[in-house]
Amino acid sequence: MQKHYFIKTYGCQMNVHESEKLAGMLRSLGYTETENMENADVIVFNTCCIRDAAEQKVLGNIGAVKKLKKLNPDLIIAVCGCMSQENGRAELFKQKYPHVSIVIGTHNLHKFKDYLIQYQQTKKKVFEIWQSEKDICEDVDMYRTSNNNAWVNIMYGCNNFCTYCIVPYVRGRERSRAMADIITEVKQLIAEGYKYITLLGQNVNSYGNDFKDGTNFAQLLTELAHLDGDFRIKFMTSHPKDLTTEVINAIATEPKLSKVIHLPVQSGSNKILKLMNRNYTVEHYKSLIKQIKDTVPNYFISTDIIVGFPHETEKDFMDTYNLVQEVNYGGVFGFMYSPRTGTIAEQMENQVPQDIKNARVNKLLSLSKEIIKEQNKQLVGKTLEALVETEDDNYYYATLDCGKNVIIDKTINLTLPTFKNVKIKAISGNKLIAEFI
Ligand code: 5AD
Ligand code: SF4
């Protein structure tokens, strides 16, 4: 009888891609995907611990599948990802969630298949957390799930230790993948027809630093942008302290590099940036934005912001608010600071009350909404490249470089997916209406 898997993914694109690896391993064992948890023989929770809200969601969802295990004692429930790697969490799952059979961390995800087989053969629970990272494992099955976009890891881990952030504790130190391995993977993906290749790393700008031979991110981007084929390269996430003029120049001049730059500022106050250990100033950040705006055609800049970091006053927050207005971001991911166990900021005095955090994040997000509305209006009349992805009888459906959706009258015949220049004619809700030129 056909066996089924169900994977629930929390958190960032790194996790989304790692779930593709989990799916690849499960499929190599003969499992197929089910969209219905109740039908699954294996349920995997690929977890996130970046904020408390994410963890509470994970814990609630893992608790809720207890009843499925009761109905089907053969059901295998596995937990992996950042939360399992967190200090003391595996123990918590062992004690409080006896229906969970496998718990693994971030450093041994590539061995999930072995652990699953081991459990099936022995029926002994597997709790395996490696305390530190090992060499990068290149040989992992993968089942890609994001349509025309393919995720490609270029590096793992983070060395920055921003004082609020748990990532360095659960993802280990920075390790870059060999450039030759990345290029081989990207070439293969282009040959398979993927149109967007998104390079992933916690801090892509420090790609190659660990090789100590001068290899850097600008070099990688340029090599990839010169490959043959009809594709675009995207990447995330950049750190302002490491974003170089060389990288900005590559983005500005290479036609196959996406013009989307996600550049988390976190705060518009130098006092808070210092407390966050971000290692740049607002002035430096603004100079990067100026360089981008001056040189990159059709740039799209987005950011992450944390409000309510310890010691943040109304004045500090307003500095952030004014920066958002000044930069005129195409997108703002605003978060309320969430204390993480073991981080430096958790121990700081002057924690900001929840109601103030709430008010600040709402104020910021409504400003961002207004900016985006205005930016959409200004797109009308512009000609931009779009990836035309799907169609029905009357329309083509496309996405711009920045991810905005576009609807186009079907006046020509196209073989999809394909890049085409379109002229934006109007806006309807948050959809853009365009025509081919
Ligand atoms: N609390 C709130 N937001 C956080 N982020 C990281 N750690 C925390 C935390 N403890 C945000 C940062 C980061 C994004 C991925 O998540 O803005 O850029
Ligand atoms: Fe966390 Fe800072 Fe590393 Fe980003 S750069 S993952 S925010 S420690």
Side-chain angles (χ1 to χ4, degrees), residues 5-49:
Y5 68 86
F6 181 94
I7 303 176
K8 176 81 187 148
T9 308
Y10 305 82
C12 64
Q13 279 75 17
M14 192 70 84
N15 267 16
V16 171
H17 184 39
E18 284 180 351
S19 287
E20 295 183 333
K21 297 179 186 176
L22 291 163
M25 290 186 255
L26 284 156
R27 296 176 90 86
S28 76
L29 292 173
Y31 288 86
T32 55
E33 188 176 10
T34 172
E35 294 192 352
N36 188 352
M37 223 186 222
E38 279 78 25
N39 295 338
D41 300 280
V42 176
I43 299 175
V44 188
F45 292 95
N46 190 9
T47 63
C48 169
C49 59

Side-chain angles (χ1 to χ4, degrees), residues 268 316-326 363-364 367:
D316 295 318
F317 169 69
M318 283 315 291
D319 287 347
T320 304
Y321 186 90
N322 292 333
L323 180 75
V324 167
Q325 208 150 30
E326 185 181 331
K363 186 167 171 153
L364 202 62
L367 168 65

Side-chain angles (χ1 to χ4, degrees), residues 392-412:
D392 59 20
D393 289 345
N394 302 315
Y395 301 106
Y396 284 116
Y397 299 90
T399 43
L400 298 179
D401 189 30
C402 61
K404 288 186 204 274
N405 295 317
V406 183
I407 302 174
I408 314 155
D409 269 333
K410 214 168 183 180
T411 49
I412 53 174

Side-chain angles (χ1 to χ4, degrees), residues 45 47 57-66 79 93 97 99-100:
F45 292 95
T47 63
K57 211 173 348 159
V58 170
L59 291 174
N61 291 168
I62 298 177
V65 292
K66 193 171 183 174
V79 183
F93 292 132
Y97 299 83
H99 55 293
V100 172

Side-chain angles (χ1 to χ4, degrees), residues 295-313:
T295 60
V296 180
N298 295 320
Y299 63 80
F300 181 91
I301 308 171
S302 57
T303 199
D304 290 346
I305 285 172
I306 297 176
V307 301
F309 188 78
H311 300 281
E312 186 187 72
T313 60

